[in-house]
């Protein structure tokens, strides 16, 4: 009987444990080691106002197949839901407007599609982009912000692209790479698209609105984690921080730090035939130091952004704007010139039908941009006050909440800069040379849930192939 140790109890680790079980059946035992007191990682379903509410990732891209397929595979298809027809808005150029359709993360297919968000000069700059000649990318990645500013001007980036990217990476276009964050757009350019607008146009659905873009689960995404753990048959060890990983003649040894509470003795070392790491970059760097130095170094180069989600339950009947949420551009201010602490609001009771019927009115506020901790430096009470003030100024919501919950993600989002793809290549090449070891997670090929599941599946298949050649 072989033993597989999965380090990390988030979506990547649990999806990997499940896939190992499906591939190898009862030929293995599986243990999931989670450093915190509960599984979930960036997925967290909490009770807010008496309702199960996602206060981490709240949805996944349904146009990628990995999450939808996994949900169906584990028997949760009846809980799969998609957003209502409520549209998102954006605070750009000093006012709140509808988020324009017809873009790829803000990169427009035409000038008309973004006319409402941009000034006439900004719209004219977008219109001229097709006449600038071919986009020369080269083989490596290129900085996204400078490319877009050269082709479209600053206004499109500042008013539209940055707010959209901020919701995914908590970072702006100037610090991210085109190929790392928008591979479809880069591939379209490589394939012959003569401009960025032409590339964006080629990626948009030919019949808009026919397929849902996002999905989630009634009862919260925690339900998927619980089902994966159950079906994996893995032993779960929470509050178990793996502090060192060493190779032995027969496989691997895992050594642990002190369990919670801090004065408790550390767990005894554990031996495994294979180890699958599904942890954030800083933890991966520490565990691979001395074992796979090249991979450790590459993980250590990953920059991270911190953020927080402030969840509110307001009294039933509290009026919200007619929208699924509002994005807020960096540097945006209200009519009095006061900046916003928040970067986005999700009006969950509008966005998800099953939450709209839940009783209390549910709203999430997101705070935190890369390199700009801002309101995150305050305590929870100060953060709640700042986000409530933003909500009142933006949406006119002044009701007193019946419940609030602050969830912080320190260093939660890896930044996909221009060196990211090369860094991931170094990680994967170095790990490929070490038998019985695999890596997965948001650091590698995307921060979204489908991308994490894809890395988990690949890591599990690597372990399965190596254990039973």
């Amino acid at each position: 009987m072989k033993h597989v140790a999965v380090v990390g109890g988030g979506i990547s680790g649990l999806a990997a444990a499940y896939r190992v079980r499906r591939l190898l059946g009862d030929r293995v035992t599986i243990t999931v080691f989670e450093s915190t007191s509960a599984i979930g990682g960036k997925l967290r379903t909490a009770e807010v106002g008496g309702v199960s509410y996602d206060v981490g990732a709240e949805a996944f891209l349904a146009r990628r197949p990995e999450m939808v397929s996994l949900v169906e595979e584990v028997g949760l298809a009846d809980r799969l839901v998609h957003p209502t027809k409520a549209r998102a808005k954006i605070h750009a150029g000093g006012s709140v407007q509808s988020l324009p359709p017809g873009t790829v993360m803000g990169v427009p297919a035409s000038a008309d599609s973004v006319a409402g968000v941009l000034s006439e000069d900004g719209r004219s700059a977008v219109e001229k982009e097709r006449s600038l000649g071919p986009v020369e990318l080269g083989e490596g990645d290129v900085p996204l912000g400078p490319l877009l500013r050269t082709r479209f001007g600053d206004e499109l980036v500042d008013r539209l692209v940055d707010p959209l990217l901020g919701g995914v990476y908590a970072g702006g276009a100037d610090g991210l790479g085109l190929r790392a964050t928008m591979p479809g757009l880069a591939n379209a350019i490589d394939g012959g698209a003569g401009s960025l607008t032409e590339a964006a146009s080629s990626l948009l659905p030919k019949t808009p609105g026919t397929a849902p873009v996002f999905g989630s689960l009634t009862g919260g995404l925690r339900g998927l984690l619980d089902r994966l753990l159950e079906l994996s048959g893995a032993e779960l060890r929470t509050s178990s921080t793996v502090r060192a990983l060493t190779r032995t003649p027969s496989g691997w040894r895992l050594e642990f730090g002190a369990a919670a509470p801090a004065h408790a003795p550390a767990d005894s070392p554990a031996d495994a035939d294979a180890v699958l790491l599904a942890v954030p970059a800083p933890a991966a760097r520490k565990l691979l130091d001395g074992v796979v130095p090249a991979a450790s170094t590459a993980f250590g180069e990953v920059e991270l952004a911190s953020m927080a989600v402030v969840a509110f339950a307001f009294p039933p009947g509290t009026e919200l704007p007619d929208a699924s949420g509002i994005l807020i551009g960096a540097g945006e201010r209200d009519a009095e010139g006061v900046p916003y602490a928040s970067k986005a609001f999700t009006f969950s009771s509008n966005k998800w039908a099953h939450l709209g019927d839940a009783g209390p009115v549910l709203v999430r506020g997101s705070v935190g941009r890369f390199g700009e901790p801002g309101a995150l430096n305050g305590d929870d009470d100060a953060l709640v006050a700042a986000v409530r003030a933003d909500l009142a100024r933006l949406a006119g919501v002044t009701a007193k909440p019946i419940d609030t919950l602050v969830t912080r993600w320190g260093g939660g989002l890896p930044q996909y800069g221009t060196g990211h793809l090369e860094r991931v290549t170094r990680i994967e090449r170095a790990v490929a040379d070490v038998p019985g070891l695999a890596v997965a997670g948001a650091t590698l090929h995307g921060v979204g849930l489908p991308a994490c599941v894809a890395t988990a599946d690949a890591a599990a298949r690597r372990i399965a192939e190596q254990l039973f050649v």
Side-chain angles (χ1 to χ4, degrees):
M1 182 78 70
K2 301 288 188 179
H3 179 214
V4 177
V6 176
V7 184
I11 181 63
S12 300
L14 294 175
Y18 165 76
R19 186 60 61 198
V20 168
R21 178 65 67 199
R22 286 296 302 266
L23 292 169
L24 298 179
D26 59 6
R27 291 183 289 173
V28 294
T29 59
I30 304 170
T31 306
V32 174
F33 298 97
E34 167 56 38
S35 62
T36 68
S37 60
I39 60 173
K42 303 306 181 297
L43 293 184
R44 189 171 300 175
T45 305
E47 186 174 290
V48 181
V51 179
S52 292
Y53 191 34
D54 284 313
V55 295
E58 57 131 14
F60 54 85
L61 190 63
R63 289 177 177 170
R64 278 194 63 158
E66 294 90 349
M67 271 290 287
V68 173
S69 296
L70 184 61
V71 166
E72 293 173 345
E73 185 178 334
V74 301
L76 295 179
D78 61 330
R79 292 176 55 180
L80 182 63
V81 291
H82 303 289
T84 66
K85 299 298 183 182
R87 295 285 305 277
K89 294 188 176 183
I90 186 168
H91 192 293
S95 64
V96 176
Q97 305 172 51
S98 294
L99 186 67
T103 79
V104 176
M105 288 299 287
V107 179
S110 69
D112 289 343
S113 65
V114 293
V117 174
L118 305 184
S119 68
E120 181 54 34
D121 287 344
R123 192 202 68 80
S124 178
V126 173
E127 190 170 46
K128 294 176 182 177
E129 194 269 337
R130 287 180 183 259
S131 67
L132 297 180
V135 182
E136 301 292 340
L137 297 183
E139 294 185 3
D141 207 353
V142 296
L144 177 60
L147 173 65
L148 297 182
R149 294 182 191 280
T150 298
R151 303 286 299 192
F152 294 113
D154 293 337
E155 205 171 85
L156 179 79
V157 178
D158 295 339
R159 292 191 181 185
L160 189 56
V161 177
D162 268 1
L164 285 164
L165 288 172
V168 178
Y169 298 97
D174 292 329
L176 300 172
L178 171 66
R179 294 189 186 278
T181 59
M182 300 186 190
L185 203 67
N187 291 340
I189 294 293
D190 292 338
S195 65
L196 288 173
T197 45
E198 182 182 335
S201 178
S202 72
L203 297 176
L204 295 175
K206 302 307 177 187
T207 52
T210 57
V213 178
F214 297 104
S216 192
L217 297 179
T218 57
L221 291 167
R222 170 64 189 254
L224 175 60
L225 302 176
D226 291 337
R227 183 62 62 89
L228 292 171
L229 181 61
E230 174 192 358
L231 295 179
S232 73
E235 176 191 357
L236 173 64
R237 288 172 57 177
T238 56
S239 299
S240 292
T241 302
V242 181
R243 67 173 179 82
L245 187 64
T246 56
R247 296 187 69 179
T248 68
S250 59
W252 298 89
R253 170 153 290 193
L254 294 78
E255 297 180 10
F256 300 88
H263 63 268
D267 293 343
S268 299
D271 293 319
D273 298 282
V275 173
L276 195 155
L277 297 181
V279 293
R285 179 194 64 79
K286 292 177 182 178
L287 292 176
L288 295 176
D289 185 27
V291 180
V292 192
S296 173
T297 298
F299 272 117
E301 296 168 3
V302 176
E303 294 186 293
L304 302 165
S306 298
M307 65 168 294
V309 171
V310 182
F312 298 101
F314 291 102
T318 300
E319 290 191 12
L320 297 177
D322 183 18
S324 62
I326 300 176
L327 293 169
I328 307 165
E332 288 291 319
R333 298 171 180 267
D334 66 11
E336 305 300 322
V338 179
Y340 296 98
S342 311
K343 64 179 182 181
F345 284 95
T346 303
F347 304 137
S348 302
S349 292
N350 289 350
K351 183 174 181 178
W352 303 103
H354 66 285
L355 294 179
D357 298 331
V361 174
L362 299 170
V363 175
R364 292 165 37 122
S366 298
V367 180
R369 303 179 193 272
F370 177 64
E372 300 176 12
L376 293 178
N377 286 333
D379 61 19
D380 285 359
D381 288 343
L383 187 57
V384 168
V387 175
R388 280 193 68 191
D390 287 349
L391 186 60
R393 289 185 289 159
L394 273 170
V397 178
T398 58
K400 182 179 180 180
I402 58 177
D403 196 10
T404 62
L405 180 66
V406 175
T407 308
R408 295 176 183 263
W409 309 100
L413 288 172
Q415 299 299 288
Y416 279 39
T418 53
H420 177 75
L421 298 180
E422 180 271 338
R423 188 175 300 123
V424 172
T425 296
R426 282 191 282 138
I427 290 170
E428 294 182 333
R429 284 178 177 171
V431 170
D433 291 334
V434 182
L437 178 67
V439 294
T443 303
L444 301 177
H445 296 289
V447 299
L449 301 183
C452 289
V453 170
T455 66
D457 190 72
R461 293 183 186 280
R462 168 177 163 79
I463 293 296
E465 291 169 0
Q466 292 195 343
L467 282 182
F468 297 96
V469 178

